[in-house]
Amino acid sequence: ESQSNSANKATVHRIDTLGLKVMYPKFSRVELVCVTMTSKDDRDVVLVMAAAYTAKCMKEFKHSNIVGMHVSDGVFYNGGTNYGAFVYYNGKWKFVSKKHNKAEMLLAAEQGGAGFSQELLILNGEIQKTNRGDNNQNIFRALCDHNGRLCVIESQRVIKFGDFKKTLKTYGVTKAIYTDMGSGWNHAWYRSETGVVELQSRTKNSDYCTNWITFYK
């Protein structure tokens, strides 16, 4: 749990190290935006990325199609799969184990916050066992706590999932939650001092895309 990062100049500080892209957004609030990804024309937004899995490719949006419990616009939506979770409310964030997932989601909703369910990669400095196999290969991305700062970390190239988790720990990440809408639908972008930077993605607009963690200045 930590305080949010605040700054007058809304940018993202990026460090490339250990085969990772590490992005520290300067922000005042975090929301889970559903239905449509926030436009790059919205100058209040500094970073957007896919969050929870989507169950099926559908023409119409349904909250029930987002895998796991989640909170958007202060409203709690139940889900069948009980992963760990990330929640944000009252200017603070938490990475939550399965045991406390629903209670924290309900609290986030009560406080007008946000949250989503996904597989925890690291909790309290320890690598977690995941449903996704360690030998699975892709470009992976996670939302992380590094020295009390919220950051987004993506592998620079295709690597094994187990190696991604180990590298996060080597970098000093104490908490991390996986982010991906499934089937490679994990578009993301951030706003640097010089403009918008696109991150690895297999699709930008798709009926499969449903939810995004969004950082605002």
Side-chain angles (χ1 to χ4, degrees):
E1 179 178 345
S2 182
Q3 297 286 334
S4 64
N5 306 41
S6 298
N8 294 326
K9 196 169 187 179
T11 59
V12 171
H13 177 57
R14 175 171 159 177
I15 300 171
D16 289 0
T17 181
L18 298 175
L20 303 173
K21 304 173 188 174
V22 185
M23 291 146 283
Y24 295 94
K26 300 176 182 178
F27 65 94
S28 64
R29 75 182 197 277
V30 179
E31 296 181 7
L32 182 70
V33 174
C34 298
V35 187
T36 303
M37 183 174 66
T38 306
S39 169
K40 298 180 181 69
D41 295 332
D42 188 341
R43 302 293 300 183
D44 287 334
V45 176
V46 297
L47 190 150
V48 175
M49 67 174 179
Y53 287 130
T54 299
K56 298 178 181 179
C57 185
M58 301 172 65
K59 289 292 183 183
E60 71 281 1
F61 172 82
K62 294 181 179 180
H63 277 282
S64 58
N65 200 30
I66 298 176
V67 176
M69 291 174 276
H70 60 283
V71 175
S72 180
D73 291 328
V75 179
F76 170 79
Y77 298 93
N78 211 342
T81 303
N82 185 22
Y83 289 121
F86 170 85
V87 295
Y88 180 91
Y89 55 91
N90 293 338
K92 295 183 178 182
W93 68 80
K94 289 182 181 179
F95 293 79
V96 187
S97 66
K98 292 180 182 181
K99 181 178 179 181
H100 304 290
N101 188 342
K102 187 171 185 179
E104 285 292 344
M105 287 279 188
L106 291 171
L107 184 56
E110 180 183 306
Q111 299 298 319
F116 71 96
S117 301
Q118 255 288 9
E119 296 202 75
L120 289 172
L121 306 184
I122 299 177
L123 186 63
N124 299 324
E126 297 300 325
I127 293 175
Q128 304 296 296
K129 185 177 179 180
T130 53
N131 292 332
R132 179 182 287 272
D134 284 348
N135 288 324
N136 186 268
Q137 296 189 52
N138 209 329
I139 293 177
F140 298 109
R141 186 185 306 132
L143 182 62
C144 307
D145 186 316
H146 178 253
N147 293 332
R149 297 174 68 191
L150 197 59
C151 61
V152 175
I153 301 181
E154 180 178 289
S155 61
Q156 293 180 355
R157 59 190 63 85
V158 173
I159 63 172
K160 291 182 178 180
F161 195 47
D163 291 340
F164 180 61
K165 290 189 282 187
K166 291 175 184 176
T167 308
L168 292 179
K169 183 172 181 178
T170 298
Y171 182 62
V173 167
T174 54
K175 302 179 186 71
I177 191 167
Y178 184 49
T179 59
D180 181 6
M181 275 188 277
S183 298
W185 284 193
N186 57 347
H187 182 62
W189 60 266
Y190 69 88
R191 198 179 304 281
S192 71
E193 292 182 0
T194 56
V196 171
V197 179
E198 303 269 357
L199 292 175
Q200 178 267 347
S201 66
R202 196 170 296 173
T203 183
K204 297 179 183 179
N205 298 293
S206 168
D207 297 328
Y208 208 85
C209 298
T210 56
N211 68 105
W212 299 263
I213 278 291
T214 306
F215 293 77
Y216 292 84
K217 67 180 181 182

